[in-house]
Amino acid sequence: MSRGPRLPEGLFRRTPRLEHSAVSAYYHTVVKVLQSIHFYDQRNERHAAIISDLLGPSLLGARVALDLGCGPGNMTARLPAARLLVGIDSDRFSLVHSIEPKTLRIQALAERLPIRTGSVTIAVAISLVEHIADHAAFFQEVARILEPNGCAVLQIPELRYPVELHTKWPVLYVWRSSIRNRVLAATGYEDLNMSTSLEGTIRLAEKAGLNLRRVIPVWHFRLARLAGVPMGYFILLRKSGHEINRRDTRGPFGGS
């Protein structure tokens, strides 16, 4: 069972508008091609390998690890087991149909997590930040829930890449907002925050009290390097450890 407030069914599920839309047809064609070459599975494996590289054995020894924006658990299933691994997503449909039914799942918004302050060792957020409208609130919440010396691993796309990775639309960031919004709506990505950037992410994270430790560019395809711009980035952040006074053994939900 997922826990947390019941949000509207399918709140953030991708629901492309299919009414004879050329944009939707183009999007689905590209997705099917990528699925046929197992791109998404290979991408998830690469992401899991990067997470392991960034965190090392600390993930195995984590007291509490969160997979924020876990969806149906495709990445959660690839994370080494912490003592308590929790998947969090706003979409109840994805949580109910999780491929990891034994993992604790909570329905919540990433900007308002029902998690006790200072109780999380590691927070992982893959392809989540760009779908959040209030980045400042998100980073303040991540900083709040992390214990001193706790880590956050984020993956964000490069939205200035020649082909926008969500909609598959060429140079989406240069189009007028009216056209851009139509493309986002047609592909089910109305919530895509086009202001997301590496620089802005780092700035807001540091302002919230999270220290930048490492950035890894992600390319996915060898040909992608010809563009001279990474397709995305992994970011490792760490909360300052100066607040340590005593070890609090209570769980992330306020219990022991």
Side-chain angles (χ1 to χ4, degrees):
M1 290 291 294
S2 47
R3 297 175 52 182
R6 180 175 289 276
L7 302 177
E9 181 70 22
L11 181 64
F12 288 162
R13 249 187 306 156
R14 305 297 153 210
T15 53
R17 298 178 183 174
L18 303 176
E19 311 89 37
H20 310 292
S21 167
V23 174
S24 296
Y26 164 75
Y27 167 78
H28 281 284
T29 299
V30 176
V31 168
K32 288 180 180 178
V33 170
L34 292 174
Q35 289 174 335
S36 71
I37 62 174
H38 306 289
F39 167 76
Y40 295 108
D41 289 335
Q42 294 172 9
R43 179 199 62 184
N44 289 340
E45 293 294 342
R46 281 193 294 270
H47 285 179
I50 293 172
I51 293 171
S52 296
D53 176 55
L54 287 171
L55 294 173
S58 61
L59 184 53
L60 285 171
R63 206 158 53 103
V64 179
L66 302 185
D67 183 7
L68 300 174
C70 64
N74 293 309
M75 182 55 58
T76 315
R78 292 172 168 84
L79 295 176
R83 276 181 269 178
L84 177 60
L85 177 61
V86 183
I88 295 181
D89 203 283
S90 63
D91 181 22
R92 183 170 290 270
F93 181 90
S94 294
L95 295 173
V96 170
H97 293 83
S98 172
I99 66 172
E100 284 290 291
K102 294 183 180 180
T103 300
L104 179 62
R105 289 153 285 147
I106 298 175
Q107 186 188 21
L109 296 172
E111 308 94 312
R112 295 195 299 275
L113 295 169
I115 303 296
R116 193 173 55 77
T117 298
S119 62
V120 173
T121 312
I122 291 170
V124 176
I126 307 300
S127 297
L128 172 67
V129 176
E130 69 271 22
H131 300 290
I132 295 175
D134 191 343
H135 286 163
F138 168 71
F139 285 112
Q140 289 167 6
E141 193 69 343
V142 171
R144 180 187 68 79
I145 65 170
L146 283 177
E147 63 186 30
N149 286 319
C151 291
V153 175
L154 314 177
Q155 181 272 327
I156 63 170
E158 175 52 76
L159 294 177
R160 294 167 294 182
Y161 195 74
V163 177
E164 199 283 307
L165 304 177
H166 296 79
T167 64
K168 324 305 179 194
W169 192 264
V171 290
L172 184 65
Y173 68 96
V174 305
W175 291 90
R176 286 186 321 210
S177 60
S178 58
I179 298 177
R180 189 165 60 233
N181 291 339
R182 288 173 60 188
V183 171
L184 293 174
T187 52
Y189 284 101
E190 294 98 326
D191 66 336
L192 186 62
N193 185 342
M194 292 298 295
S195 69
T196 306
S197 68
L198 177 64
E199 299 80 7
T201 296
I202 294 173
R203 176 175 54 81
L204 289 172
E206 291 183 332
K207 185 175 181 180
L210 301 171
N211 301 316
L212 177 66
R213 301 302 298 269
R214 191 175 172 189
V215 174
I216 297 179
V218 179
W219 304 90
H220 292 305
F221 300 106
R222 291 182 180 178
L223 288 175
R225 294 179 181 271
L226 296 177
V229 180
M231 300 176 77
Y233 308 92
F234 267 83
I235 306 167
L236 175 63
L237 304 163
R238 186 183 294 275
K239 184 175 178 179
S240 172
H242 71 275
E243 301 173 23
I244 295 179
N245 292 314
R246 62 180 179 85
R247 184 176 180 80
D248 192 336
T249 58
R250 290 183 298 167
F253 314 114
S256 57

